[in-house]
Amino acid sequence: MARKRDQIKMSEPELGAFLASERVVSVSTNGRDGWPHVMALWYVMRDGEPWIYTYAASQKVRNLERDDRATLMIETGNEYQELRGVMLKTHAEIHRELDEVAPVAEELFAKYQGGTEVDAATRDALRAQAAKRVAIRFRVSETTSWDHSKLGGTY
């Protein structure tokens, strides 16, 4: 008999669809004081990896400059049988160049505005904001997923 963990694991297509459709990722970095620092952020998937956009001077960036390891969690569901999620162990890569940061800002804008095209005025505004921000690519080293709906109501 298969273990419960194996029964609820998402397939690669399910995982890809889940990561593309969800809206918020919880990013946990290692704080200087040893405590985890967890923040909920918007994200986009690029070539199978999550990317975020944040202020360059933020605590999470300072933490990642010291230690590039981060654990990410994306989850959904209210009742136990609805719970679905992914935990990603990652190594962060901080991008500071405006020509690398601005496109991530545009992708985030489009995703969270319902697929809206980015017009020239919006592109200029996002580029101006991007000057104080970084884009962070999370290179995934380990993935754990769960989809409790696969248990068919049995636990």
Side-chain angles (χ1 to χ4, degrees), residues 109-120:
F109 180 87
K111 177 179 178 179
Y112 293 91
Q113 295 300 315
T116 303
E117 289 265 337
V118 179
D119 61 31

Side-chain angles (χ1 to χ4, degrees), residues 13-155:
E14 290 168 334
L15 183 61
F18 179 79
L19 292 172
S21 68
E22 290 303 314
R23 297 178 54 86
V24 178
V25 61
S26 295
V27 177
S28 179
T29 59
N30 297 307
R32 182 183 42 170
D33 60 2
W35 286 93
H37 179 260
V38 184
M39 295 301 300
L41 299 158
W42 287 351
Y43 72 98
V44 292
M45 296 300 293
R46 300 175 98 197
D47 298 321
E49 294 177 317
W51 286 67
I52 64 167
Y53 170 77
T54 190
Y55 282 101
S58 68
Q59 185 63 54
K60 70 189 113 349
V61 171
R62 289 195 306 263
N63 291 345
L64 292 168
E65 288 169 340
R66 269 192 314 278
D67 182 347
D68 73 344
R69 293 174 300 163
T71 300
L72 282 56
M73 186 177 78
I74 301 161
E75 55 87 28
T76 189
N78 293 313
E79 303 295 326
Y80 185 83
Q81 65 274 11
E82 300 170 340
L83 297 178
R84 294 183 306 140
V86 178
M87 181 184 73
L88 304 169
K89 290 183 180 177
T90 71
H91 290 273
E93 186 179 275
I94 301 169
H95 294 263
R96 298 178 188 280
E97 295 297 320
L98 188 58
D99 288 339
E100 294 175 337
V101 177
V104 175
E106 290 180 29
E107 289 176 43
L108 281 162
F109 180 87
K111 177 179 178 179
Y112 293 91
Q113 295 300 315
T116 303
E117 289 265 337
V118 179
D119 61 31
T122 303
R123 182 172 286 114
D124 290 345
L126 290 170
R127 192 166 179 85
Q129 291 176 356
K132 293 184 178 181
R133 292 175 170 82
V134 296
I136 302 175
R137 173 187 188 177
F138 293 99
R139 293 184 176 271
V140 178
S141 59
E142 185 178 325
T143 302
T144 303
S145 66
W146 56 93
D147 180 350
H148 289 197
S149 70
K150 291 182 173 193
L151 295 174
T154 62
Y155 312 106

